Amino acid sequence: MKSILITGGAGFIGSHTCLQLLQQDYFLYILDSYVNSSPKIAERLDKLLCQINQKLRDKFKFIEGDIRDESMIDGIFKCSINENRPIEGVIHFAGLKSVAESVSSPSLYWDVNVGGTIKLIRIMEKYSCRTIVFSSSATIYSENNRSPLSEDSEIKPYNPYGQTKANIENLLKDLYTSNDSCWRVINLRYFNPIGAHPSGLIGEEPRGKINNLFPYLNQVASGNIKELKIYGNDWPTIDGTGVRDYIHIMDLADAHCLALNYLIKEKKATLLSINIGTGRGTSVLQLLKTFESVNSCKIPFRFVDRRLGDIAISYASNDLASSILSWRPKRNLSNMCIDGWRWQKLNPYGYE
Ligand code: NAD
Ligand code: UFG
């Protein structure tokens, strides 16, 4: 059994990925500061694993800590050696992800996202662990590209959050090109993950101000927010509203398992950047209508001005994910809306 360090593993994408990895031949050290998640995720994972197979229950360990704390990360690697299961790879989710907050607090974003990654890399080098799957984002692509976005589309982030992601990719590229080591790196560039595990036991728990469309839909459907504000109805799209590539969180989790398995098997230095999206664009109104129809509910909405920094259309070309990882999305927009709403109904106050 191989041991893997999962940073930010209590978060939305991390928790779903941990669940999938735990059903494979991995032991997980899961590091999180809980700055944007809940320690209760451990109980939920345990409950789910219990339902799947009792034997999977003792295959993970949660550690509370900040990725900027080098000595703490060192301690995790040491502990893994003492426990006779040295960490062989890392999936690096930990980071801050609000575009708006990154504009108002850029130094915080550079410190956590870039600074934290440098600390992590230094310890990985110390322990000769050179396998990493990194959470990158479609937001690094230039606004001027036309969708479908392929991995060689121009990279030109237009907000500090995107800058941090592009710069971490640059750092990982420099490691890969350095002569004396054999880094194996996959940057997964996510599009718009939504939905939840079909059990309704784990899902997305947005804290603070809600920015993204799907958590907003959930709040309006619950009656906690009166109406959805749709940012613009004059975009050059099918119905005037913004088009994005929504992907089911379980499909995204599966992509991480495939990426990690790929790197673990690979013997030579590797650097791959791979889009993870469905390859289909969906407008705000199309998502809203699907949500209403599959969940038999009504979502009141109102058109307001465009949101600063938004673009009209963004969806992926996923040819590379398909050819290299044999990854293909298995769930459709209806599954995303049903599973995401089930999570919201069963957990109106999140993990509390
Ligand atoms: P999330 O906020 O749910 O998960 C991130 C986790 O990292 C949280 O549990 C948080 O507590 C933890 N964390 C933050 N700062 C930390 C620190 N300094 N030390 C330790 N832990 C820390 O977000 P998510 O949606 O699961 O995203 C995971 C990763 O994927 C992030 O790096 C994000 O930038 C990236 N990403 C997300 C999206 C998206 O739409 N959700 C899209 C593209 C990329
Ligand atoms: N939208 C609304 N009303 C809302 C929220 C969003 O109309 O209340 C619209 C937006 O204008 C956009 C679409 O819904 O057209 C999707 O917006 P999101 O905020 O959900 O997603 P974005 O594509 O803007 O950004 C998200 C993350 C970024 C990430 C990017 C690509 O916030 O961090 O996806 O992965 F980089």
Side-chain angles (χ1 to χ4, degrees):
M1 193 181 314
K2 303 224 177 273
S3 289
I4 305 295
L5 171 64
I6 312 284
T7 74
F12 175 43
I13 308 172
S15 55
H16 290 79
T17 302
C18 287
L19 181 69
Q20 298 304 82
L21 286 172
L22 287 164
Q23 294 170 67
Q24 301 191 10
D25 203 20
Y26 291 113
F27 182 92
L28 306 184
Y29 291 91
I30 306 172
L31 163 67
D32 207 297
S33 66
Y34 303 118
V35 68
N36 198 39
S37 51
S38 164
K40 297 226 165 108
I41 190 72
E43 288 163 31
R44 299 292 181 100
L45 277 181
D46 189 53
K47 194 166 174 186
L48 270 165
L49 291 171
C50 238
Q51 290 170 6
I52 297 164
N53 179 351
Q54 289 276 353
K55 285 192 193 132
L56 303 174
R57 287 184 69 190
D58 297 320
K59 287 179 64 204
F60 66 93
K61 202 176 231 184
F62 270 90
I63 304 108
E64 181 169 1
D66 194 301
I67 38 159
R68 290 167 293 177
D69 182 348
E70 218 169 315
S71 65
M72 184 272 309
I73 305 177
D74 193 303
I76 301 177
F77 274 83
K78 249 190 220 127
C79 163
S80 76
I81 292 167
N82 292 339
E83 291 177 347
N84 219 6
R85 44 182 175 221
I87 292 169
E88 294 186 40
V90 175
I91 304 187
H92 181 33
F93 294 106
L96 301 176
K97 65 165 181 176
S98 157
V99 170
E101 192 187 34
S102 80
V103 174
S104 56
S105 309
S107 61
L108 174 68
Y109 271 66
W110 278 82
D111 186 36
V112 173
N113 293 4
V114 181
T117 304
I118 292 172
K119 299 274 171 74
L120 171 68
I121 294 293
R122 286 229 285 251
I123 299 298
M124 289 177 70
E125 283 177 320
K126 179 173 169 187
Y127 289 91
S128 301
C129 170
R130 300 194 188 90
T131 299
I132 184 165
V133 177
F134 169 61
S135 294
S136 191
S137 168
T139 198
I140 67 171
Y141 291 120
S142 162
E143 297 172 271
N144 302 323
N145 291 314
R146 274 180 72 89
S147 289
L149 296 161
S150 62
E151 289 79 357
D152 55 9
S153 300
E154 187 193 3
I155 290 176
K156 194 176 171 202
Y158 41 94
N159 54 58
Y161 167 68
Q163 289 283 6
T164 65
K165 292 290 175 188
N167 276 283
I168 296 167
E169 283 203 11
N170 286 337
L171 164 64
L172 295 172
K173 185 172 173 204
D174 286 347
L175 290 169
Y176 160 77
T177 26
S178 62
N179 295 327
D180 54 349
S181 58
C182 175
W183 277 85
R184 295 173 296 177
V185 177
I186 295 185
N187 300 308
L188 293 181
R189 295 178 182 159
Y190 317 149
F191 280 69
N192 293 57
I194 61 171
H197 187 268
S199 65
L201 276 172
I202 57 174
E204 181 174 22
E205 187 191 34
R207 303 192 153 204
K209 190 176 175 302
I210 295 174
N211 295 306
N212 298 120
L213 178 59
F214 197 82
Y216 228 102
L217 282 175
N218 266 343
Q219 289 301 316
V220 177
S222 309
N224 299 334
I225 295 177
K226 195 170 83 208
E227 60 185 7
L228 174 74
K229 293 191 187 79
I230 298 185
Y231 299 132
N233 60 351
D234 55 354
W235 293 101
T237 62
I238 181 169
D239 54 22
T241 66
V243 166
R244 295 292 183 274
D245 188 335
Y246 299 98
I247 168 177
H248 196 294
I249 184 67
M250 295 308 295
D251 280 327
L252 183 55
D254 290 343
H256 287 83
C257 299
L258 292 167
L260 182 66
N261 293 343
Y262 181 97
L263 289 182
I264 293 280
K265 278 196 210 108
E266 187 58 78
K267 293 287 167 267
K268 60 180 190 307
T270 305
L271 175 68
L272 291 165
S273 295
I274 304 180
N275 287 339
I276 305 294
T278 62
R280 291 179 62 132
T282 301
S283 75
V284 175
L285 279 176
Q286 286 172 330
L287 181 64
L288 184 149
K289 295 292 167 207
T290 306
F291 191 101
E292 286 186 331
S293 137
V294 297
N295 294 322
S296 309
C297 66
K298 198 85 203 122
I299 306 283
F301 66 90
R302 176 163 64 93
F303 292 115
V304 298
D305 286 346
R306 290 180 177 188
R307 181 172 66 175
L308 207 68
D310 264 352
I311 53 172
I313 301 179
S314 167
Y315 61 91
S317 154
N318 58 16
D319 293 349
L320 213 55
S322 159
S323 63
I324 294 183
L325 301 178
S326 301
W327 176 88
R328 270 173 212 86
K330 296 188 193 123
R331 291 104 176 154
N332 61 24
L333 207 61
S334 299
N335 303 133
M336 300 178 212
C337 292
I338 292 168
D339 293 339
W341 175 230
R342 183 185 300 109
W343 152 258
Q344 174 67 32
K345 275 187 301 184
L346 292 175
N347 306 271
Y349 306 106
Y351 287 107
E352 297 315 311

